[in-house]
Coordinates of all heavy atoms in Angstrom, one line a residue:
M1 N 51.2 -50.5 32.0 CA 51.4 -51.1 30.7 C 52.8 -50.8 30.2 O 53.3 -49.7 30.2 CB 50.4 -50.5 29.7 CG 50.3 -51.2 28.4 SD 49.1 -50.5 27.2 CE 47.6 -51.3 27.9
D2 N 53.6 -51.9 29.9 CA 54.9 -51.7 29.5 C 55.0 -51.4 28.0 O 54.1 -51.5 27.2 CB 55.8 -52.9 29.8 CG 55.4 -54.2 29.0 OD1 54.4 -54.2 28.4 OD2 56.2 -55.2 29.1
M3 N 56.2 -51.0 27.5 CA 56.5 -50.6 26.2 C 56.2 -51.7 25.2 O 55.6 -51.4 24.1 CB 57.9 -50.0 26.0 CG 58.1 -49.4 24.7 SD 57.1 -48.1 24.3 CE 58.0 -46.7 24.9
L4 N 56.6 -52.9 25.4 CA 56.3 -54.0 24.5 C 54.9 -54.2 24.3 O 54.4 -54.5 23.2 CB 57.1 -55.2 24.9 CG 58.6 -55.2 24.7 CD1 59.2 -56.5 25.3 CD2 58.9 -55.0 23.3
E5 N 54.1 -54.1 25.4 CA 52.7 -54.3 25.3 C 52.0 -53.2 24.4 O 51.1 -53.5 23.6 CB 52.0 -54.3 26.7 CG 50.6 -54.8 26.7 CD 50.1 -54.8 28.1 OE1 50.9 -54.9 29.1 OE2 48.8 -54.9 28.3
L6 N 52.5 -52.0 24.6 CA 52.0 -50.9 23.8 C 52.3 -51.1 22.3 O 51.5 -50.8 21.4 CB 52.6 -49.5 24.3 CG 52.0 -48.9 25.5 CD1 52.8 -47.7 25.9 CD2 50.6 -48.6 25.3
I7 N 53.5 -51.5 22.0 CA 54.0 -51.7 20.6 C 53.2 -52.8 19.9 O 52.8 -52.7 18.8 CB 55.5 -52.0 20.6 CG1 56.3 -50.7 21.0 CG2 55.9 -52.4 19.2 CD1 57.8 -50.9 21.1
G8 N 52.9 -53.9 20.7 CA 52.2 -55.0 20.0 C 50.7 -55.1 20.3 O 50.1 -56.1 20.1
K9 N 50.1 -54.1 20.8 CA 48.7 -54.1 21.3 C 47.8 -54.6 20.2 O 46.8 -55.3 20.4 CB 48.3 -52.7 21.8 CG 46.9 -52.7 22.4 CD 46.6 -51.3 23.0 CE 45.2 -51.3 23.5 NZ 44.9 -50.1 24.2
Y10 N 48.0 -54.1 19.0 CA 47.2 -54.5 17.8 C 47.8 -55.5 16.9 O 47.6 -55.4 15.7 CB 46.7 -53.2 17.1 CG 45.9 -52.3 18.0 CD1 46.4 -51.2 18.6 CD2 44.5 -52.7 18.3 CE1 45.6 -50.4 19.4 CE2 43.8 -51.9 19.1 CZ 44.3 -50.7 19.7 OH 43.6 -50.0 20.5
Y11 N 48.7 -56.3 17.4 CA 49.4 -57.4 16.7 C 50.2 -56.9 15.5 O 50.5 -57.6 14.6 CB 48.3 -58.4 16.2 CG 47.4 -58.9 17.3 CD1 46.1 -58.5 17.4 CD2 47.9 -59.9 18.2 CE1 45.3 -58.9 18.4 CE2 47.1 -60.3 19.2 CZ 45.8 -59.8 19.3 OH 45.0 -60.3 20.3
G12 N 50.7 -55.7 15.7 CA 51.6 -55.1 14.6 C 50.9 -54.6 13.4 O 51.5 -54.1 12.5
T13 N 49.5 -54.7 13.4 CA 48.8 -54.2 12.2 C 49.0 -52.7 12.0 O 49.1 -52.2 10.8 CB 47.3 -54.5 12.3 OG1 46.8 -53.9 13.5 CG2 47.1 -56.0 12.3
D14 N 49.1 -51.9 13.1 CA 49.3 -50.5 12.9 C 50.7 -50.2 12.4 O 50.8 -49.3 11.6 CB 49.0 -49.8 14.3 CG 49.7 -50.4 15.5 OD1 50.3 -51.5 15.3 OD2 49.8 -49.8 16.5
W15 N 51.7 -51.0 12.8 CA 53.0 -50.7 12.3 C 53.2 -51.1 10.8 O 53.8 -50.4 10.0 CB 54.0 -51.6 13.1 CG 54.2 -51.0 14.5 CD1 53.5 -51.4 15.6 CD2 55.0 -50.0 15.0 NE1 53.8 -50.7 16.7 CE2 54.8 -49.8 16.3 CE3 55.9 -49.1 14.3 CZ2 55.5 -48.8 17.1 CZ3 56.6 -48.2 15.1 CH2 56.4 -48.0 16.4
L16 N 52.5 -52.2 10.4 CA 52.5 -52.6 9.0 C 51.8 -51.6 8.2 O 52.2 -51.2 7.1 CB 51.9 -54.0 8.9 CG 52.7 -55.2 9.4 CD1 51.9 -56.4 9.4 CD2 53.9 -55.4 8.4
A17 N 50.6 -51.1 8.7 CA 49.9 -50.2 7.9 C 50.6 -48.9 7.7 O 50.7 -48.3 6.6 CB 48.6 -49.9 8.7
M18 N 51.3 -48.4 8.8 CA 52.1 -47.2 8.7 C 53.2 -47.4 7.7 O 53.4 -46.5 6.8 CB 52.7 -46.9 10.1 CG 53.6 -45.6 10.1 SD 54.4 -45.4 11.7 CE 55.4 -46.8 11.8
S19 N 53.9 -48.5 7.7 CA 55.0 -48.7 6.8 C 54.5 -48.8 5.3 O 55.1 -48.2 4.4 CB 55.7 -50.1 7.1 OG 56.2 -50.0 8.4
M20 N 53.4 -49.5 5.1 CA 52.9 -49.6 3.8 C 52.4 -48.2 3.3 O 52.5 -47.9 2.1 CB 51.7 -50.6 3.7 CG 52.1 -52.0 4.0 SD 53.2 -52.7 2.8 CE 54.6 -52.9 3.8
A21 N 51.8 -47.4 4.2 CA 51.4 -46.0 3.8 C 52.6 -45.2 3.4 O 52.5 -44.4 2.4 CB 50.6 -45.4 4.9
F22 N 53.7 -45.3 4.1 CA 54.9 -44.5 3.7 C 55.4 -44.9 2.3 O 55.7 -44.1 1.5 CB 56.0 -44.7 4.7 CG 55.8 -44.0 6.0 CD1 56.3 -44.5 7.2 CD2 55.0 -42.8 6.1 CE1 56.1 -43.9 8.4 CE2 54.8 -42.2 7.3 CZ 55.4 -42.7 8.5
L23 N 55.4 -46.3 2.1 CA 55.8 -46.8 0.8 C 54.8 -46.3 -0.3 O 55.3 -45.9 -1.4 CB 55.9 -48.3 0.8 CG 57.1 -48.8 1.6 CD1 57.0 -50.3 1.8 CD2 58.4 -48.4 1.0
F24 N 53.6 -46.3 0.0 CA 52.5 -45.9 -1.0 C 52.8 -44.4 -1.4 O 52.9 -44.1 -2.6 CB 51.2 -46.0 -0.4 CG 50.1 -45.2 -1.0 CD1 49.7 -45.4 -2.3 CD2 49.4 -44.2 -0.3 CE1 48.7 -44.7 -2.9 CE2 48.4 -43.4 -0.9 CZ 48.1 -43.7 -2.2
I25 N 53.0 -43.6 -0.4 CA 53.2 -42.1 -0.7 C 54.5 -41.9 -1.5 O 54.6 -41.2 -2.4 CB 53.2 -41.3 0.6 CG1 51.8 -41.3 1.2 CG2 53.7 -39.9 0.3 CD1 51.7 -40.8 2.6
Y26 N 55.5 -42.7 -1.1 CA 56.8 -42.5 -1.7 C 56.8 -42.9 -3.2 O 57.2 -42.2 -4.1 CB 57.9 -43.4 -1.0 CG 59.2 -43.4 -1.7 CD1 60.1 -42.3 -1.6 CD2 59.6 -44.4 -2.5 CE1 61.3 -42.2 -2.2 CE2 60.8 -44.4 -3.2 CZ 61.7 -43.3 -3.0 OH 62.9 -43.2 -3.7
Y27 N 56.2 -44.1 -3.5 CA 56.2 -44.6 -4.8 C 55.3 -43.9 -5.8 O 55.6 -43.7 -6.9 CB 55.9 -46.1 -4.9 CG 57.1 -46.9 -4.5 CD1 57.2 -47.7 -3.4 CD2 58.3 -46.9 -5.3 CE1 58.3 -48.4 -3.0 CE2 59.4 -47.6 -4.9 CZ 59.4 -48.4 -3.8 OH 60.5 -49.1 -3.4
V28 N 54.1 -43.5 -5.3 CA 53.2 -42.7 -6.1 C 53.9 -41.3 -6.4 O 53.8 -40.8 -7.5 CB 51.8 -42.5 -5.4 CG1 51.0 -41.5 -6.2 CG2 51.1 -43.9 -5.4
G29 N 54.6 -40.8 -5.4 CA 55.3 -39.5 -5.6 C 56.4 -39.7 -6.6 O 56.8 -38.7 -7.3
E30 N 57.0 -40.9 -6.7 CA 58.0 -41.2 -7.8 C 57.3 -41.6 -9.1 O 58.0 -42.0 -10.0 CB 58.9 -42.3 -7.3 CG 59.8 -41.9 -6.1 CD 60.9 -41.0 -6.5 OE1 61.5 -41.2 -7.5 OE2 61.1 -40.0 -5.8
K31 N 56.0 -41.5 -9.2 CA 55.2 -41.8 -10.4 C 55.4 -43.3 -10.8 O 55.4 -43.7 -11.9 CB 55.6 -40.9 -11.5 CG 55.3 -39.5 -11.2 CD 55.7 -38.6 -12.3 CE 55.3 -37.1 -11.9 NZ 55.7 -36.1 -12.9
K32 N 55.3 -44.2 -9.7 CA 55.4 -45.6 -9.9 C 54.0 -46.2 -9.7 O 53.5 -46.1 -8.6 CB 56.4 -46.3 -9.0 CG 57.8 -45.7 -9.1 CD 58.5 -46.1 -10.4 CE 59.9 -45.6 -10.4 NZ 60.5 -45.7 -11.7
R33 N 53.5 -46.9 -10.6 CA 52.1 -47.4 -10.5 C 52.0 -48.4 -9.4 O 51.0 -48.5 -8.7 CB 51.8 -48.1 -11.9 CG 50.4 -48.7 -11.9 CD 50.1 -49.3 -13.2 NE 48.8 -49.8 -13.3 CZ 48.4 -50.8 -14.0 NH1 49.3 -51.5 -14.8 NH2 47.1 -51.2 -14.1
H34 N 53.0 -49.2 -9.2 CA 52.9 -50.2 -8.1 C 52.8 -49.6 -6.7 O 52.5 -50.3 -5.8 CB 54.1 -51.2 -8.2 CG 55.5 -50.6 -7.9 ND1 56.3 -50.0 -8.8 CD2 56.1 -50.5 -6.7 CE1 57.4 -49.6 -8.2 NE2 57.3 -49.9 -6.9
G35 N 53.0 -48.3 -6.6 CA 52.7 -47.7 -5.3 C 51.3 -47.9 -4.8 O 51.1 -48.0 -3.6
F36 N 50.4 -48.1 -5.7 CA 49.0 -48.3 -5.3 C 48.8 -49.7 -4.6 O 47.9 -49.8 -3.8 CB 48.0 -48.2 -6.5 CG 47.9 -46.8 -7.0 CD1 48.5 -46.3 -8.2 CD2 47.1 -45.9 -6.3 CE1 48.3 -45.0 -8.6 CE2 46.9 -44.6 -6.7 CZ 47.5 -44.2 -7.9
I37 N 49.7 -50.6 -5.0 CA 49.6 -51.9 -4.3 C 49.9 -51.7 -2.8 O 49.3 -52.3 -1.9 CB 50.7 -52.9 -4.9 CG1 50.4 -53.1 -6.4 CG2 50.7 -54.2 -4.1 CD1 49.0 -53.7 -6.7
F38 N 50.9 -50.8 -2.5 CA 51.2 -50.5 -1.1 C 50.1 -49.8 -0.5 O 49.8 -50.0 0.7 CB 52.5 -49.7 -1.0 CG 53.8 -50.5 -1.4 CD1 54.4 -50.3 -2.5 CD2 54.2 -51.5 -0.5 CE1 55.6 -51.0 -2.8 CE2 55.3 -52.3 -0.8 CZ 56.0 -52.0 -2.0
G39 N 49.4 -49.0 -1.2 CA 48.2 -48.3 -0.7 C 47.1 -49.2 -0.4 O 46.4 -49.1 0.7
I40 N 46.9 -50.3 -1.2 CA 45.9 -51.3 -0.9 C 46.3 -52.1 0.3 O 45.5 -52.3 1.2 CB 45.8 -52.2 -2.1 CG1 45.2 -51.5 -3.3 CG2 44.9 -53.5 -1.8 CD1 45.3 -52.2 -4.6
L41 N 47.6 -52.4 0.4 CA 48.0 -53.2 1.6 C 47.9 -52.3 2.9 O 47.5 -52.8 3.9 CB 49.5 -53.6 1.4 CG 49.7 -54.7 0.4 CD1 51.2 -54.9 0.2 CD2 49.0 -56.0 0.8
A42 N 48.2 -51.0 2.8 CA 48.1 -50.1 3.9 C 46.7 -50.1 4.4 O 46.4 -50.2 5.6 CB 48.6 -48.7 3.6
S43 N 45.8 -49.9 3.4 CA 44.3 -49.8 3.8 C 43.8 -51.1 4.4 O 43.0 -51.1 5.3 CB 43.5 -49.5 2.6 OG 43.9 -48.2 2.1
I44 N 44.3 -52.3 3.9 CA 43.9 -53.5 4.5 C 44.4 -53.7 5.9 O 43.6 -54.1 6.8 CB 44.4 -54.7 3.6 CG1 43.6 -54.7 2.3 CG2 44.2 -56.1 4.4 CD1 44.1 -55.7 1.3
F45 N 45.6 -53.3 6.2 CA 46.2 -53.4 7.5 C 45.5 -52.4 8.4 O 45.2 -52.6 9.6 CB 47.7 -53.2 7.6 CG 48.4 -54.4 7.1 CD1 49.3 -54.3 6.0 CD2 48.3 -55.6 7.7 CE1 50.0 -55.3 5.6 CE2 49.0 -56.7 7.2 CZ 49.9 -56.6 6.1
W46 N 45.2 -51.2 7.9 CA 44.4 -50.2 8.7 C 43.0 -50.7 9.0 O 42.4 -50.4 10.0 CB 44.3 -48.8 8.0 CG 45.6 -48.0 8.2 CD1 46.3 -47.4 7.1 CD2 46.3 -47.6 9.4 NE1 47.3 -46.7 7.6 CE2 47.4 -46.8 9.0 CE3 46.1 -47.9 10.7 CZ2 48.3 -46.3 9.9 CZ3 47.0 -47.4 11.6 CH2 48.0 -46.6 11.2
L47 N 42.4 -51.4 8.0 CA 41.1 -52.0 8.2 C 41.1 -53.0 9.4 O 40.2 -53.0 10.2 CB 40.6 -52.6 6.9 CG 39.3 -53.3 6.9 CD1 38.2 -52.2 7.1 CD2 39.1 -53.9 5.5
I48 N 42.1 -53.9 9.4 CA 42.3 -54.9 10.5 C 42.4 -54.1 11.8 O 41.8 -54.5 12.8 CB 43.4 -55.8 10.2 CG1 43.1 -56.7 8.9 CG2 43.7 -56.7 11.4 CD1 44.4 -57.4 8.4
F49 N 43.3 -53.1 11.8 CA 43.5 -52.3 13.0 C 42.2 -51.7 13.5 O 41.9 -51.7 14.7 CB 44.6 -51.2 12.7 CG 44.7 -50.2 13.8 CD1 45.4 -50.5 14.9 CD2 44.0 -49.0 13.7 CE1 45.6 -49.5 15.9 CE2 44.2 -48.0 14.7 CZ 44.9 -48.3 15.8
A50 N 41.4 -51.2 12.5 CA 40.1 -50.5 12.9 C 39.2 -51.5 13.5 O 38.5 -51.2 14.5 CB 39.5 -49.9 11.7
F51 N 39.1 -52.7 13.0 CA 38.3 -53.8 13.6 C 38.8 -54.1 15.1 O 37.9 -54.1 16.0 CB 38.3 -55.1 12.8 CG 37.4 -55.2 11.7 CD1 37.8 -55.3 10.4 CD2 36.0 -55.2 11.9 CE1 36.9 -55.4 9.4 CE2 35.1 -55.2 10.9 CZ 35.5 -55.3 9.6
L52 N 40.1 -54.2 15.2 CA 40.6 -54.5 16.6 C 40.4 -53.3 17.5 O 40.1 -53.5 18.7 CB 42.1 -54.8 16.5 CG 42.5 -56.0 15.7 CD1 44.0 -56.1 15.5 CD2 42.0 -57.3 16.5
A53 N 40.4 -52.1 17.0 CA 40.2 -50.9 17.8 C 38.7 -50.6 18.0 O 38.3 -49.6 18.7 CB 41.0 -49.7 17.3
Q54 N 37.9 -51.3 17.2 CA 36.4 -51.1 17.2 C 36.0 -49.7 16.8 O 35.2 -49.0 17.4 CB 35.8 -51.5 18.6 CG 36.1 -52.9 19.0 CD 35.6 -53.2 20.4 OE1 35.2 -52.4 21.2 NE2 35.5 -54.5 20.6
S55 N 36.6 -49.3 15.7 CA 36.3 -47.9 15.2 C 35.6 -48.1 13.8 O 36.2 -48.4 12.8 CB 37.6 -47.2 14.9 OG 37.4 -46.0 14.3
V56 N 34.3 -47.9 13.9 CA 33.4 -48.1 12.7 C 33.8 -47.1 11.6 O 33.8 -47.5 10.5 CB 31.9 -48.0 13.1 CG1 31.0 -48.1 11.9 CG2 31.6 -49.1 14.1
A57 N 34.0 -45.9 12.0 CA 34.4 -44.9 11.0 C 35.6 -45.2 10.2 O 35.7 -45.1 9.0 CB 34.5 -43.5 11.6
N58 N 36.6 -45.8 10.9 CA 37.9 -46.2 10.2 C 37.6 -47.4 9.4 O 38.3 -47.5 8.3 CB 39.0 -46.4 11.3 CG 39.6 -45.1 11.7 OD1 40.0 -44.3 10.8 ND2 39.8 -44.9 12.9
V59 N 36.8 -48.3 9.8 CA 36.5 -49.5 9.0 C 35.9 -49.0 7.6 O 36.3 -49.4 6.5 CB 35.5 -50.4 9.7 CG1 34.9 -51.5 8.7 CG2 36.2 -51.1 10.9
I60 N 34.9 -48.1 7.7 CA 34.2 -47.6 6.5 C 35.2 -46.9 5.6 O 35.3 -47.1 4.4 CB 33.0 -46.7 6.9 CG1 31.9 -47.6 7.5 CG2 32.5 -46.0 5.7 CD1 30.8 -46.7 8.2
A61 N 36.0 -46.0 6.2 CA 37.0 -45.2 5.5 C 38.0 -46.1 4.7 O 38.3 -45.9 3.6 CB 37.7 -44.3 6.4
N62 N 38.5 -47.1 5.4 CA 39.5 -48.0 4.8 C 38.9 -48.9 3.8 O 39.7 -49.3 2.8 CB 40.3 -48.7 5.9 CG 41.3 -47.7 6.4 OD1 42.3 -47.4 5.8 ND2 41.1 -47.2 7.7
V63 N 37.7 -49.3 3.9 CA 37.1 -50.1 2.8 C 37.0 -49.2 1.5 O 37.4 -49.6 0.4 CB 35.6 -50.5 3.2 CG1 34.9 -51.0 1.9 CG2 35.7 -51.6 4.2
A64 N 36.7 -47.9 1.7 CA 36.6 -47.0 0.6 C 38.1 -46.8 0.0 O 38.2 -46.7 -1.2 CB 36.0 -45.6 1.0
F65 N 39.1 -46.6 0.9 CA 40.4 -46.4 0.4 C 40.9 -47.6 -0.4 O 41.7 -47.4 -1.3 CB 41.4 -46.2 1.6 CG 41.1 -44.8 2.3 CD1 41.4 -44.7 3.7 CD2 40.6 -43.7 1.6 CE1 41.1 -43.5 4.3 CE2 40.4 -42.5 2.3 CZ 40.7 -42.4 3.6
V66 N 40.5 -48.8 0.0 CA 41.0 -50.0 -0.8 C 40.4 -49.8 -2.2 O 41.2 -50.0 -3.2 CB 40.4 -51.3 -0.1 CG1 40.6 -52.5 -1.1 CG2 41.2 -51.6 1.2
F67 N 39.2 -49.5 -2.4 CA 38.6 -49.4 -3.7 C 39.2 -48.2 -4.5 O 39.4 -48.3 -5.7 CB 37.1 -49.3 -3.6 CG 36.4 -50.6 -3.3 CD1 35.8 -50.8 -2.0 CD2 36.4 -51.6 -4.2 CE1 35.3 -52.0 -1.7 CE2 35.8 -52.8 -3.9 CZ 35.2 -53.0 -2.6
L68 N 39.5 -47.1 -3.8 CA 40.1 -46.0 -4.5 C 41.5 -46.3 -4.9 O 41.9 -45.9 -6.0 CB 40.1 -44.7 -3.5 CG 38.8 -44.1 -3.3 CD1 38.9 -43.1 -2.2 CD2 38.2 -43.5 -4.5
N69 N 42.2 -47.1 -4.2 CA 43.6 -47.5 -4.6 C 43.5 -48.5 -5.8 O 44.3 -48.4 -6.7 CB 44.3 -48.1 -3.4 CG 45.0 -47.0 -2.6 OD1 45.8 -46.3 -3.0 ND2 44.5 -46.9 -1.3
I70 N 42.5 -49.4 -5.7 CA 42.4 -50.3 -6.9 C 42.0 -49.5 -8.1 O 42.6 -49.7 -9.2 CB 41.3 -51.3 -6.6 CG1 41.7 -52.3 -5.5 CG2 40.9 -52.1 -7.9 CD1 40.6 -53.2 -5.0
R71 N 41.2 -48.5 -8.0 CA 40.8 -47.6 -9.1 C 42.0 -46.9 -9.6 O 42.2 -46.8 -10.8 CB 39.7 -46.6 -8.7 CG 39.2 -45.7 -9.8 CD 38.2 -44.8 -9.2 NE 37.6 -44.0 -10.3 CZ 38.2 -42.9 -10.8 NH1 39.4 -42.5 -10.4 NH2 37.6 -42.2 -11.8
G72 N 42.8 -46.3 -8.7 CA 44.0 -45.6 -9.1 C 45.0 -46.5 -9.9 O 45.6 -46.1 -10.8
Y73 N 45.1 -47.8 -9.4 CA 46.0 -48.7 -10.1 C 45.5 -49.0 -11.5 O 46.3 -49.0 -12.5 CB 46.1 -50.0 -9.3 CG 47.1 -51.0 -9.9 CD1 48.4 -50.9 -9.6 CD2 46.6 -52.0 -10.7 CE1 49.3 -51.8 -10.2 CE2 47.5 -52.9 -11.3 CZ 48.8 -52.8 -11.0 OH 49.7 -53.7 -11.6
V74 N 44.2 -49.2 -11.6 CA 43.6 -49.6 -12.9 C 43.7 -48.4 -13.9 O 44.1 -48.6 -15.1 CB 42.1 -50.0 -12.7 CG1 41.4 -50.1 -14.1 CG2 42.0 -51.3 -12.0
Y75 N 43.4 -47.2 -13.5 CA 43.4 -46.1 -14.4 C 44.8 -45.4 -14.6 O 44.9 -44.5 -15.4 CB 42.5 -45.0 -13.8 CG 41.0 -45.3 -14.1 CD1 40.2 -45.7 -13.1 CD2 40.5 -45.2 -15.4 CE1 38.9 -46.1 -13.4 CE2 39.2 -45.6 -15.7 CZ 38.4 -46.0 -14.7 OH 37.1 -46.3 -14.9
W76 N 45.8 -45.8 -13.9 CA 47.1 -45.2 -14.0 C 47.6 -45.2 -15.4 O 47.8 -46.3 -16.0 CB 48.1 -45.9 -13.1 CG 49.5 -45.3 -13.0 CD1 50.5 -45.5 -13.8 CD2 49.9 -44.3 -12.1 NE1 51.6 -44.7 -13.5 CE2 51.2 -43.9 -12.4 CE3 49.3 -43.6 -11.1 CZ2 51.9 -43.0 -11.7 CZ3 50.0 -42.6 -10.4 CH2 51.3 -42.3 -10.7
G77 N 47.8 -44.1 -16.0 CA 48.4 -43.9 -17.3 C 47.6 -44.3 -18.5 O 48.0 -44.3 -19.6
K78 N 46.3 -44.6 -18.2 CA 45.4 -44.9 -19.3 C 45.1 -43.7 -20.1 O 44.8 -42.6 -19.5 CB 44.1 -45.6 -18.9 CG 44.3 -47.0 -18.5 CD 42.9 -47.7 -18.3 CE 43.1 -49.1 -18.1 NZ 41.8 -49.8 -18.0
E79 N 45.0 -43.8 -21.4 CA 44.6 -42.7 -22.3 C 43.2 -42.3 -22.0 O 42.3 -43.1 -21.9 CB 44.8 -43.1 -23.7 CG 44.7 -41.9 -24.7 CD 45.9 -41.0 -24.6 OE1 47.0 -41.5 -24.3 OE2 45.7 -39.8 -24.9
G80 N 42.9 -41.0 -21.8 CA 41.6 -40.6 -21.5 C 41.1 -40.9 -20.1 O 39.9 -40.8 -19.8
S81 N 42.0 -41.2 -19.2 CA 41.6 -41.5 -17.8 C 41.2 -40.2 -17.1 O 41.6 -39.1 -17.4 CB 42.8 -42.2 -17.0 OG 43.9 -41.3 -16.9
P82 N 40.3 -40.4 -16.1 CA 39.8 -39.2 -15.4 C 41.0 -38.5 -14.7 O 41.9 -39.1 -14.2 CB 38.8 -39.7 -14.4 CG 38.7 -41.2 -14.6 CD 39.7 -41.6 -15.6
N83 N 41.0 -37.2 -14.7 CA 42.1 -36.4 -14.0 C 41.8 -36.2 -12.6 O 40.9 -35.9 -12.1 CB 42.3 -35.1 -14.7 CG 42.9 -35.3 -16.1 OD1 43.6 -36.3 -16.3 ND2 42.6 -34.5 -17.0

């Protein structure tokens, strides 16, 4: 298996997911609400990757992460939001 085949094995979904996850962590660390958008995108790309890799546990985990990131976005900075 050559290097290009390894890099593109999952159609780049793993690379996109990784990039979005880095942006998510960076922006949330900078206290920017829109970081959760990158978290949602990362989870969606990881979800696609999990389907391609046939990993049921990762599919379930990333569905949950999508909802947790949506929840984080909605509750960000709201008065009386859960800690």
Side-chain angles (χ1 to χ4, degrees):
M1 188 175 280
D2 68 349
M3 186 58 91
L4 287 177
E5 191 176 343
L6 282 174
I7 291 172
K9 184 175 181 178
Y10 296 103
Y11 307 103
T13 57
D14 48 348
W15 291 93
L16 287 167
M18 178 185 65
S19 301
M20 295 296 111
F22 288 151
L23 290 170
F24 162 63
I25 292 167
Y26 176 80
Y27 284 115
V28 170
E30 292 289 314
K31 299 181 180 175
K32 304 289 185 190
R33 181 181 185 209
H34 67 270
F36 288 105
I37 301 299
F38 291 109
I40 293 166
L41 291 172
S43 295
I44 290 169
F45 286 123
W46 282 127
L47 182 62
I48 295 167
F49 171 81
F51 274 117
L52 294 171
Q54 299 177 346
S55 175
V56 176
N58 278 314
V59 169
I60 293 167
N62 282 288
V63 168
F65 292 148
V66 167
F67 287 108
L68 289 170
N69 278 296
I70 291 170
R71 183 182 185 281
Y73 184 85
V74 169
Y75 282 108
W76 185 269
K78 282 191 174 183
E79 192 68 32
S81 65
N83 292 329

